[in-house]
Structures are given as structure tokens and as C-alpha cells.
């Protein structure tokens, strides 16, 4: 077997392909699975809808990069446009476009899964070796103090002034030059994401990655050989071209909580839980204006977190509370989050170099579902619950206090109309924040749970080994399976769980 | 673990966006009829060559929208019309799935007839005096009707993203450009 990346917009795949394993998706779950299984001697083919972009092909330009690196060209959202859903669409998946935050799955979350969701094998002790392997895969390290850019240093100063708990985060960059465009890809390939770790290793071990290949159906799910139907796309990934099939003994879904559920629903596979229990973990930005330049577009966008209000061992929910982290993007995407229009919008953007923004990261309970439209596209339904709104308000208040303590002249939440504060006394205004659909900029970057792992098919869509109930040899190895929010950032937990489930799968295959 | 029923925060959450657009436009059609010929009020738009999907009417609506969103300003003295952003929108939409194309074409029709439908005016969007057009468009983002906010949000996102991605704009917002220099898309 000889491993390779084959771009289906340029050439067709080999005919009559029969393989041991077909993996759908090449991100943290799929890339990891492909590597582990190929290194164990299995013949692996990976189907990836996105293209392969590295180095200077990552142009640092909003228009081109959101179009090419994100699902639905950056336009994916819930059906009511209430939540923007950011999801990677590239070889390497979400790891290509995330902010490189490494936050391992906490012991408290795993205990919650054991005790409340019956996943008795997911103990902290059982997962610990895989968590360590995930951190190795990511070359995870603590960000150095002198790498904190101005907004992160300011938030840290404000947090320390208030006496709150906070931390400099871990990341998966090596050789970072602080270019500041992590959310639209790193043009010097400093991210140790699947594209530069698991995928090359998988190829070395013989795995083949088909890019611009959209999986559209799985048939014969109870048979020895499953049939996977997929379509090639054009070079920019806009239109479907030709239809192909391959056959595989095992199919592993790792296309994100949206895509994995979508494919099962399109194929008519699984039980009634498929598509349900979706968590979007919606985040909301809060923006501070300073008198001096902050140059938020340079340096590592996200390197410090206020962790004072986060709980990782809530008995009812596992991960709960909230945390606050700075973030910033290129001008195009930042302008889309501001609530001002016309002359006021232009004026607001003239303050771009003086801004600092933070994200309010608030874990949620299952509150949504994935459905499939007649043309096969996913329909994402989500309702923000009252308890989530309450914690967003509390997070906005805390973040505002930290920014003001750091010397901000004004802090505002970019709802329509915006809510702002200039003094500590005014931050109580955030207690009245409203969350009207399409008037509150909620953003989801960590979708989880639409093919939930459960000890019995009464409670979930896949068993604790990742096998989809009602199938023989169709698995989910990504965040789809998480029964509650795994972490404020899901990259490390997905790699951890994928590695763990691969080992379980190999043990069964050998038996 | 049981899941409590989610709280709905807007009264029309049971309607899909597509269905909502259709219902709104059907209702609008009735209003237009009683208003005595909204189409006549819209008038003819000048021909535009080379569009892939949109017609001249939709192009004119978008051109007026761009004027409202990026007015000539001393703060950012850039002529947004020179970028031909409506044509960019047309090119983008032409490569989107049919369902979305239909939704957005309907949305543009709704914007054009917005002053008649929502404010009982006798002008369409393109024919409003510029200052009134700006005030009318502001109303879409702040509307109590989720549909109008959704249309406003969708169009605002697209045009903001492409406008502020232009190198001509960057010097006026203090952005020095990509750290490795500009690579042509």
C-alpha cells in the first residue's frame, strides 16, 4: 500500500476500491484514527470534503480563507440565523482554523460521564494515557509570557488586579511568529494540527486521503462490507461532479457533530437519538476600547483565560460556569460582529487598532438537533436556554470588570442595540442583555453531541465503543459522541477519545 | 438524562427561514396588490451586463444597499461603489445551493419593497431619497420582526466581510495588512 493525498477535483479515485477502514473527515478525530489504524497495518482511505491548503496558500485574507477553509464558505448557521456555526472544511479539519487552544478533558468531566451517562469505561484512569498521547501529538506547551500580545496582557493585568484566578493557556504551535491570523490558517505552518502530525504519519503508514470528496451515503451497514457513496467536487469545492463508491469493512465517522449526524440521517442509519442532543456551546464577544493602540491583529490571539468562574466537576453538568478569553480576527470578520451600520459602522472600525475583544465561553446543555433538508444539506436547530443566557450575562459582567480594571475606556457587547459600560457601576447593565435571534452575535466553534455515546440504545445513538446502534461496524470517533461538553476547547478531547476508541477497535479486530 | 423543553425566545421559531420568507412575501404580495401596483412604483432598473444569477432589479437594490452601508465619509474616504460589491455578491450566490439562492433572491425583493410593506410608503427601497433609505435600512436590524433582522444580518455580514477585506480600506482603520504581505486571491 502506498499512502498519498489524492485531489478528486483533479483525478478520479481508483476503481473497485475495497479497504479495511473508510474514515469520513480528516480533522482531529479522523486524522488521528487514520494514523492509528494505518500504523496498525489496516488499509485506510479517508474522505475529506475540503481541499489541502498549506503555507502561503493560506493568504491571511478574510474573503478567500473563509470561503475555502470553512463549511458553507463561512456562512453556516442555525436555521434561524441565531448562531453562526464555525466548522473547518480542509485537510486537517478544524485544526487548520482554530485558535490552537489545548485544554485537555478534565477528570471531573470524565467522572460525570461515568456517573451520569453510564460510560463506565471512560474513567480518568483509563483515559489518562490517551490524554498524554494527545498532548504529545499536539506538541502541547504553555505559551510563554512574552508571547502574550497586548489584549491578552491587558486582560491578564485586569484579572490579577481583581484577584481572580486565570491562566496562560497551552497551545499547539511550534515556531510561532505571532502573525495573528490563526483563525484563517497559519501561512508558516506553525500549527501542530492533524495536517502536520497525524496525516503525514498516516500517509507514511499507507493511508490514502481523498480531498474534495463528499461522503453522501452509507449502505449495507449491517453487512461485512459497507458501501460508501461519495462525490467529487470542483477545485473550489462549490459543486458536486461525479459519483463513486468504495467498500469498507469498517466505517468511522469523524465529520464533526453536524456532519457525522448528517451522514447517518442521509443514510437512514441509527436510532431516534441520531441528530439529537446537539450542543453548540455558543460564545459571545465583548469588546473593549482603549485610549492607546492595542494592535489586536498581531500576536497570538488567544493566550490567557479567566478561569475564576469555571467548574469542571459540576455534579449535574460536568463542565459548567464560564470562562473568558481574548480573541481577535482580521478586519473583515471583526466588522461582521459589530452592531453598527452605515457611518456609525465605519466610525466603529476606525477604532479597530484600539480594540480588545474577549469571548465569553459558556458550556451548554443539549439544546439542539441536526436534521437533513431534501437536498441533503444539514439543518441545524438550536434554542438557547435561559440558564445559558443567565451565564452569558454573568460572563459579560465579569469580562467588563476585567477590561475596565485593565484601563479600558469603554466596554460593549455587540448586540443590536449594543449595551455598553464605562464604569464599574455601569456593568450591571449587562444583567439586562437580551438575546433576540439575529440581534445577538452568538458563535459556535465547538459543536458536540449529535450522535451521543450511551450505555444503552434507549439513551443514545452510539455505544461506549463508538459503534452506532443498529449497525455493524459503523462508528463515530469525534465530538458527536460527547454526552456533555468535554472542554472549553475540543481539539485535545477529540484526539484523546479518538485514540482511546481506536485502541478498543483494534483490540476487537485482533480478537 | 432527561432534557427539559427548551424555552423559545421568539414567537416564530417554529417556522423555517425558507417558509418564513415565503409567508412574508406572500403577505407582502397582498399588501402590494391593495396598494395599487408596487411593481410600477419600483420602476425599471438599468441593464447590467455579465451577471451570473441576479437580475438588474436585484443588482440595483444591492447597489443602493452598498451606498447605505458604506457612505462616502471623511473617516474612510473610499468609494465603495468602485469595488462593485453587488457583482461580487452575484458571483458568490451563483455558486451557492439552489435553496439558498431562492431564499436570498426573495430576501432582496423584500428589501426592495420594504418601505411599502413595513412603513406604508409609496417608494421602493431604491427610489427612497438617500437619507430616508439609510434610516429605513437601520430599521431592519432593529426590527421586532425576526425575518427583517435575519435579512439585515445576512447581508450585513457578507458586505462587511468583503468591504473590510479590501486593502484600500486598511490604512483608514489602522490595519497594516497581512503580516506576510498581500497575496492576490
Amino acid at each position: 500500500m502506498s499512502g498519498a493525498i489524492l485531489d478528486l477535483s483533479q483525478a478520479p479515485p481508483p476503481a473497485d476500491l475495497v479497504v479495511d477502514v473508510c474514515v469520513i473527515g480528516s480533522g482531529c478525530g479522523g486524522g488521528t484514527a487514520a494514523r492509528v489504524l494505518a500504523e496498525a497495518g489496516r488499509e485506510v482511505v479517508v474522505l475529506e470534503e475540503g481541499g489541502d491548503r498549506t503555507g502561503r496558500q493560506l493568504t491571511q485574507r478574510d474573503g478567500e480563507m473563509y470561503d475555502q477553509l470553512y463549511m458553507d464558505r463561512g456562512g453556516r448557521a442555525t436555521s434561524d440565523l441565531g448562531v453562526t456555526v464555525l466548522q473547518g472544511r480542509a485537510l486537517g479539519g478544524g485544526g487548520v482554523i482554530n485558535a490552537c487552544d489545548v485544554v485537555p478533558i478534565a477528570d471531573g468531566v470524565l467522572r460525570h460521564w461515568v456517573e451520569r451517562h453510564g460510560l463506565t469505561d471512560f474513567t480518568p484512569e483509563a483515559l489518562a494515557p490517551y490524554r498524554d498521547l494527545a498532548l504529545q501529538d499536539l506538541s502541547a506547551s504553555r505559551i510563554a509570557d512574552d508571547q502574550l500580545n497586548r489584549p491578552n496582557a491587558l486582560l491578564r493585568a485586569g484579572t490579577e488586579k481583581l484577584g481572580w484566578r486565570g491562566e496562560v493557556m497551552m497551545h499547539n504551535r511550534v515556531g510561532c511568529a505571532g502573525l495573528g491570523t490563526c483563525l484563517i490558517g497559519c501561512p508558516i505552518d506553525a500549527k501542530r494540527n492533524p495536517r502536520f502530525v497525524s496525516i503525514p504519519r498516516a500517509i507514511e503508514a499507507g493511508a490514502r486521503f481523498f480531498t474534495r470528496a463528499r461522503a453522501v451515503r452509507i449502505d449495507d451497514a449491517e453487512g461485512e462490507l459497507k458501501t460508501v457513496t461519495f462525490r467529487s467536487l470542483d477545485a473550489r469545492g462549490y459543486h458536486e461532479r461525479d459519483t463513486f463508491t468504495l467498500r469498507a469493512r469498517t466505517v468511522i465517522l469523524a465529520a464533526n457533530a453536524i456532519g457525522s449526524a448528517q451522514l447517518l440521517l442521509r443514510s437512514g442509519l441509527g436510532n431516534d437519538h441520531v441528530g439529537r442532543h446537539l450542543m453548540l456551546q455558543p460564545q459571545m464577544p465583548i469588546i473593549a476600547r482603549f485610549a492607546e493602540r492595542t494592535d489586536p491583529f498581531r500576536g497570538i490571539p488567544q493566550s490567557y483565560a479567566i478561569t475564576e468562574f469555571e467548574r469542571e466537576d459540576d455534579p449535574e453538568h460536568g463542565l459548567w460556569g464560564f470562562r473568558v478569553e481574548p480573541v481577535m480576527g482580521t478586519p473583515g470578520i471583526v466588522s461582521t460582529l459589530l452592531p453598527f451600520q452605515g457611518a456609525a459602522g465605519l466610525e466603529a472600525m476606525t477604532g479597530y487598532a484600539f480594540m480588545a475583544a474577549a469571548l465569553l465561553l459558556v458550556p451548554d446543555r443539549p439544546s439542539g438537533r441536526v436534521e437533513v433538508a431534501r437536498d441533503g444539506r444539514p439543518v441545524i436547530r438550536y434554542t438557547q436556554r435561559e440558564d445559558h443566557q443567565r451565564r452569558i450575562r454573568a460572563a459579560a459582567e465579569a469580562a467588563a470588570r476585567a477590561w475596565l480594571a485593565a484601563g479600558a475606556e469603554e466596554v460593549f457587547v455587540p448586540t443590536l442595540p449594543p449595551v455598553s459600560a464605562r464604569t464599574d457601576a455601569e456593568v450591571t447593565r449587562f444583567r439586562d442583555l437580551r438575546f433576540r435571534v439575529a440581534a445577538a452575535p452568538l458563535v459556535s466553534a465547538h459543536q458536540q453531541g449529535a450522535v451521543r455515546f450511551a450505555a444503552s440504545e434507549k439513551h443514545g445513538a452510539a455505544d461506549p465503543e463508538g459503534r452506532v446502534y443498529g449497525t455493524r461496524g459503523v462508528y463515530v470517533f469525534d465530538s458527536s459522541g460527547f454526552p456533555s461538553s468535554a472542554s472549553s476547547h475540543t481539539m485535545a478531547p477529540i484526539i484523546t477519545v479518538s485514540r482511546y476508541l481506536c485502541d478498543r477497535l483494534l483490540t476487537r479486530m485482533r480478537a | 438524562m432527561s432534557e427539559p423543553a427548551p424555552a423559545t425566545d421568539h414567537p416564530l421559531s417554529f417556522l423555517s427561514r425558507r417558509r418564513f420568507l415565503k409567508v412574508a412575501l406572500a403577505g407582502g404580495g397582498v399588501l402590494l396588490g391593495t396598494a395599487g401596483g408596487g411593481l410600477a412604483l419600483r420602476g425599471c432598473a438599468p441593464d447590467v451586463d455579465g451577471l451570473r444569477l441576479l437580475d438588474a432589479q436585484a443588482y440595483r437594490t444591492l447597489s443602493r444597499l452598498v451606498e447605505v452601508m458604506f457612505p462616502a465619509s471623511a473617516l474612510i474616504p473610499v468609494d465603495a461603489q468602485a469595488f462593485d460589491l453587488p457583482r461580487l455578491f452575484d458571483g458568490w450566490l451563483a455558486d451557492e445551493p439552489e435553496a439558498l439562492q431562492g431564499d436570498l433572491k426573495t430576501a432582496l425583493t423584500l428589501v426592495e419593497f420594504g418601505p411599502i410593506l413595513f412603513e406604508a410608503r409609496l417608494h421602493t427601497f431604491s427610489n427612497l431619497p438617500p437619507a430616508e433609505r439609510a434610516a429605513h435600512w437601520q430599521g431592519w436590524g432593529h426590527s421586532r420582526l425576526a425575518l427583517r433582522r435575519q435579512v439585515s444580518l445576512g447581508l450585513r455580514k457578507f458586505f462587511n466581510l468583503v468591504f473590510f477585506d479590501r486593502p484600500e480600506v486598511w490604512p483608514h482603520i489602522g490595519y497594516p495588512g497581512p503580516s506576510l504581505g498581500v497575496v492576490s486571491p
Side-chain angles (χ1 to χ4, degrees):
Chain A
M1 281 184 296
S2 120
I5 297 169
L6 181 62
D7 179 352
L8 295 200
S9 73
Q10 304 301 316
D16 304 322
L17 206 50
V18 180
V19 295
D20 294 323
V21 183
C22 174
V23 181
I24 318 284
S26 69
C28 295
T32 300
R35 171 195 173 179
V36 173
L37 298 173
E39 286 180 339
R42 308 292 155 172
E43 185 172 6
V44 177
V45 161
V46 180
L47 303 178
E48 168 55 55
E49 185 171 322
D52 183 22
R53 282 188 176 242
T54 59
R56 296 305 301 274
Q57 293 171 306
L58 300 163
T59 61
Q60 303 186 285
R61 297 287 297 276
D62 285 304
E64 174 75 353
M65 293 295 94
Y66 279 96
D67 184 279
Q68 286 297 296
L69 300 179
Y70 282 79
M71 206 52 93
D72 293 347
R73 305 168 74 186
R76 179 160 284 188
T78 51
S79 58
D80 62 1
L81 300 190
V83 184
T84 299
V85 178
L86 300 177
Q87 190 188 337
R89 186 200 194 208
L91 189 66
V96 176
I97 46 90
N98 69 12
C100 295
D101 302 309
V102 177
V103 183
I105 187 166
D107 285 354
V109 171
L110 291 171
R111 280 194 293 271
H112 174 72
W113 289 6
V114 170
E115 289 159 16
R116 298 300 294 262
H117 295 281
L119 301 180
T120 51
D121 293 339
F122 280 67
T123 62
E125 297 72 28
L127 269 289
Y130 302 95
R131 191 163 49 191
D132 292 345
L133 285 170
L135 296 182
Q136 278 175 36
D137 288 350
L138 292 164
S139 304
S141 67
R142 189 75 55 190
I143 295 170
D145 278 2
D146 63 4
Q147 286 180 298
L148 266 63
N149 71 357
R150 189 78 184 128
N152 281 271
L154 284 166
L155 192 73
R156 181 186 200 175
T159 307
E160 289 175 352
K161 204 166 162 186
L162 293 167
W164 290 345
R165 193 176 71 235
E167 65 182 29
V168 177
M169 297 168 69
M170 286 203 295
H171 69 157
N172 65 325
R173 301 176 184 88
V174 174
C176 173
L179 302 181
T181 50
C182 309
L183 302 183
I184 48 175
C186 178
I188 58 168
D189 298 335
K191 292 181 174 186
R192 296 293 91 189
N193 62 32
R195 176 61 187 83
F196 297 105
V197 181
S198 53
I199 292 173
R201 303 267 177 85
I203 290 171
E204 226 170 89
R208 283 173 284 184
F209 289 78
F210 297 167
T211 58
R212 295 295 183 215
R214 175 181 290 159
V216 294
R217 195 171 169 84
I218 302 166
D219 287 297
D220 313 317
E222 292 183 62
E224 174 66 24
L225 282 176
K226 274 57 85 177
T227 303
V228 179
T229 303
F230 57 104
R231 299 200 181 115
S232 60
L233 303 175
D234 62 32
R236 293 188 65 81
Y238 297 157
H239 304 285
E240 293 182 350
R241 295 287 186 232
D242 302 311
T243 301
F244 306 95
T245 57
L246 63 76
R247 289 185 297 163
R249 286 172 189 85
T250 300
V251 176
I252 294 174
L253 299 173
N256 164 296
I258 310 297
S260 294
Q262 176 195 8
L263 185 54
L264 288 172
L265 290 167
R266 284 188 86 168
S267 308
L269 296 180
N271 62 22
D272 289 345
H273 288 281
V274 172
R276 290 173 55 200
H277 317 297
L278 177 69
M279 294 167 279
L280 291 182
Q281 203 160 297
Q283 312 167 3
M284 197 154 93
I286 181 164
I287 296 168
R289 288 189 179 119
F290 285 84
E292 76 276 15
R293 281 184 74 106
T294 54
D295 287 345
F297 37 76
R298 291 288 190 261
I300 294 176
Q302 212 159 50
S303 52
Y304 184 79
I306 301 176
T307 54
E308 173 77 16
F309 308 96
E310 186 177 53
R311 290 191 62 183
E312 293 175 329
D313 56 357
D314 183 272
E316 183 67 25
H317 306 288
L319 184 70
W320 208 240
F322 62 84
R323 66 196 256 147
V324 178
E325 299 169 358
V327 72
M328 191 44 89
T330 27
I333 195 67
V334 170
S335 70
T336 68
L337 293 172
L338 296 181
F340 311 104
Q341 303 192 67
L346 296 179
E347 188 183 347
M349 278 302 287
T350 59
Y352 176 47
F354 297 79
M355 287 178 191
L359 276 178
L360 314 172
L361 289 100
V362 182
D364 58 347
R365 285 184 284 162
S367 307
R369 68 187 299 157
V370 178
E371 297 170 6
V372 175
R374 229 174 293 166
D375 62 2
R377 289 160 47 82
V379 177
I380 306 166
R381 301 203 188 279
Y382 187 83
T383 302
Q384 191 191 20
R385 291 170 190 270
E386 180 53 42
D387 65 68
H388 191 266
Q389 296 181 353
R390 208 167 38 240
R391 281 176 296 133
I392 287 250
R393 291 186 189 106
E397 197 172 329
R401 289 191 193 283
W403 284 128
L404 290 172
E409 291 188 321
E410 184 186 19
V411 183
F412 68 96
V413 174
T415 47
L416 261 171
V419 180
S420 67
R422 287 176 169 270
T423 64
D424 254 355
E426 289 176 356
V427 299
T428 53
R429 290 175 182 170
F430 297 124
R431 293 176 191 170
D432 298 322
L433 272 179
R434 294 174 66 202
F435 297 89
R436 293 188 307 164
V437 165
L442 294 168
V443 177
S444 164
H446 308 116
Q447 306 90 39
Q448 301 166 75
V451 194
R452 176 159 91 178
F453 299 147
S456 94
E457 56 188 312
K458 270 189 188 166
H459 299 106
D463 72 17
E465 310 223 316
R467 186 181 61 85
V468 176
Y469 285 117
T471 71
R472 177 185 170 201
V474 178
Y475 294 83
V476 281
F477 281 13
D478 65 9
S479 63
S480 309
F482 297 170
S484 74
S485 189
S487 167
S488 54
H489 298 279
T490 47
M491 174 168 62
I494 292 170
I495 296 174
T496 301
V497 169
S498 181
R499 273 190 164 276
Y500 171 69
L501 294 175
C502 278
D503 256 15
R504 309 273 303 231
L505 176 63
L506 282 169
T507 303
R508 276 196 312 284
M509 282 174 163
R510 286 177 193 125
Chain B
M1 206 160 60
S2 67
E3 289 174 27
T8 50
D9 82 333
H10 65 104
L12 294 165
S13 59
F14 61 92
L15 278 178
S16 73
R17 184 159 40 101
R18 294 203 71 200
R19 183 158 162 64
F20 200 0
L21 283 167
K22 281 178 186 165
V23 169
L25 205 60
V30 173
L31 281 175
L32 284 175
T34 54
L39 294 178
L41 290 173
R42 180 171 67 170
C44 288
D47 285 343
V48 185
D49 288 336
L51 294 176
R52 291 177 62 195
L53 184 78
L54 297 177
D55 59 19
Q57 294 286 3
Y59 181 92
R60 183 178 65 168
T61 304
L62 288 172
S63 297
R64 298 289 181 265
L65 200 55
V66 167
E67 281 172 17
V68 163
M69 293 179 79
F70 311 110
S73 148
L75 290 170
I76 302 185
V78 170
D79 179 10
Q81 293 296 334
F83 301 154
D84 202 356
L85 301 180
R87 191 176 297 276
L88 266 181
F89 185 88
D90 172 66
W92 167 79
L93 191 58
D95 287 316
E96 283 293 291
E98 261 177 48
L100 187 67
Q101 290 177 352
D103 279 358
L104 281 170
K105 283 202 278 191
T106 307
L108 290 178
T109 307
L110 212 52
V111 170
E112 183 60 27
F113 289 105
I116 300 171
L117 296 174
F118 304 117
E119 294 176 354
R121 307 281 301 267
L122 286 176
H123 294 284
T124 63
F125 181 74
S126 297
N127 295 319
L128 279 174
E132 292 175 33
R133 194 184 303 136
H136 171 79
W137 178 244
Q138 288 281 349
W140 281 74
H142 292 272
S143 173
R144 293 179 62 187
L145 199 58
L147 170 70
R148 292 182 70 192
R149 297 198 305 272
Q150 289 163 334
V151 170
S152 167
L153 177 71
L155 293 171
R156 200 155 40 89
K157 274 191 169 187
F158 178 89
F159 285 112
N160 269 337
L161 191 117
V162 295
F163 177 78
F164 285 103
D165 190 33
R166 302 287 303 210
E168 297 89 332
V169 176
W170 298 339
H172 308 291
I173 59 171
Y175 178 56
S179 33
L180 292 186
V182 175
V183 177
S184 295

